[in-house]
Amino acid sequence: MKVVMTPNPYRDKNFKYAAQAEQILRGAGVETRLCLPFGVDKNFELPADRTFYNLSEELRNADMLICFGGDGTILHSSKAATYHNIPVLGVNIGTMGFMAELEAGELSQLARLASGQYTVEKSMMLSVEVQHDGQTVYTDTALNDIAVTKGAVARVIQLEVLCDGVQAYSFAGDGVLVCTPTGSTAYSMSAGGPIVEPEASNLIITPICAHGMYAKSYVLSDHRV
């Protein structure tokens, strides 16, 4: 088994927790590779006694990605892991750890990975495509949410939301969020959206400061939306 570890260098000072995890995993017979989840500031000094490998190359034949940090680190790393179709395990050493499965004091549990004593939970992700004049100008994937918002000018924007080609909302406001169940506890919740069970198969549409919102309900498979 091969595990790629991506500690947030700004959270895991001197890579203390990554080193502990590496010792536990290698003691259980697991091959490990240490990679940075993102580029660091040029003035940030990395320890000279640590070897960092290229994340994209190491993920090609990895079995799991372990992130050390907060939810932001997990969100950042989830895109690369999804591209290579491998599961992500979060270890919380940040301030926000809703998405992490383990806390920093539970690293001994990592030894269970070698014997397959774990389950994989599937989470929805969003595929995003932006079109302009009939051309696709941007594509991306997101684990939490996407936001369509107004620019720097202090004014509301007119928005129309269609589901399967049918208008669901028409309103003026600051924007609209489309989020997954995983993202329901993030920006969407702050904007008044519902909290949804993480393994549900739903998309949540949350208007941001809507004014004069009009909704059209329609029936799909005998369920009113």
Side-chain angles (χ1 to χ4, degrees):
M1 183 180 191
K2 177 182 175 180
V3 170
V4 172
M5 302 187 302
T6 56
N8 184 331
Y10 299 104
R11 297 286 187 182
D12 190 359
K13 301 299 182 183
N14 298 316
F15 303 98
K16 169 186 174 182
Y17 297 109
Q20 293 178 15
E22 185 177 55
Q23 184 178 11
I24 292 170
L25 289 168
R26 290 187 174 181
V30 177
E31 179 185 359
T32 63
R33 286 291 187 274
L34 187 64
C35 304
L36 292 174
F38 45 74
V40 298
D41 186 84
K42 62 180 181 180
N43 296 322
F44 187 88
E45 293 187 11
L46 295 171
D49 61 339
R50 306 295 301 181
T51 299
F52 297 94
Y53 296 86
N54 181 275
L55 179 60
S56 297
E57 293 181 2
E58 296 301 330
L59 286 177
R60 292 175 183 174
N61 61 345
D63 298 292
M64 182 176 292
L65 174 65
I66 301 180
C67 302
F68 298 81
D71 284 351
T73 308
I74 298 176
L75 288 170
H76 187 87
S77 299
S78 64
K79 294 181 181 181
T82 300
Y83 180 80
H84 293 279
N85 195 31
I86 63 173
V88 179
L89 174 63
V91 178
N92 181 40
I93 55 174
T95 55
M96 299 294 289
F98 289 111
M99 299 169 62
E101 191 67 25
L102 295 178
E103 296 295 326
E106 300 175 311
L107 293 180
S108 61
Q109 298 293 324
L110 294 176
R112 301 169 59 184
L113 297 178
S115 55
Q117 298 180 55
Y118 63 90
T119 58
V120 177
E121 297 178 352
K122 293 185 177 181
S123 300
M124 288 183 63
M125 295 188 72
L126 298 171
S127 177
V128 184
E129 181 177 295
V130 178
Q131 294 187 350
H132 181 70
D133 292 334
Q135 300 293 322
T136 299
V137 295
Y138 178 80
T139 60
D140 205 347
T141 57
L143 178 58
N144 255 15
D145 51 42
I146 61 170
V148 178
T149 61
K150 60 184 179 66
V153 180
R155 64 182 182 186
V156 298
I157 54 176
Q158 299 291 329
L159 293 138
E160 182 182 30
V161 178
L162 283 75
C163 299
D164 294 331
V166 179
Q167 186 191 76
Y169 292 107
S170 177
F171 62 93
D174 287 352
V176 65
L177 294 164
V178 179
C179 75
T180 65
T182 302
S184 67
T185 56
Y187 192 0
S188 175
M189 184 178 70
S190 300
I195 297 176
V196 180
E197 204 280 326
E199 293 189 69
S201 297
N202 301 99
L203 293 179
I204 300 95
I205 302 172
T206 307
I208 305 172
C209 297
H211 305 281
M213 182 169 67
Y214 301 94
K216 292 184 178 180
S217 61
Y218 62 97
V219 176
L220 180 64
S221 301
D222 298 325
H223 293 287
R224 185 170 292 276
V225 178

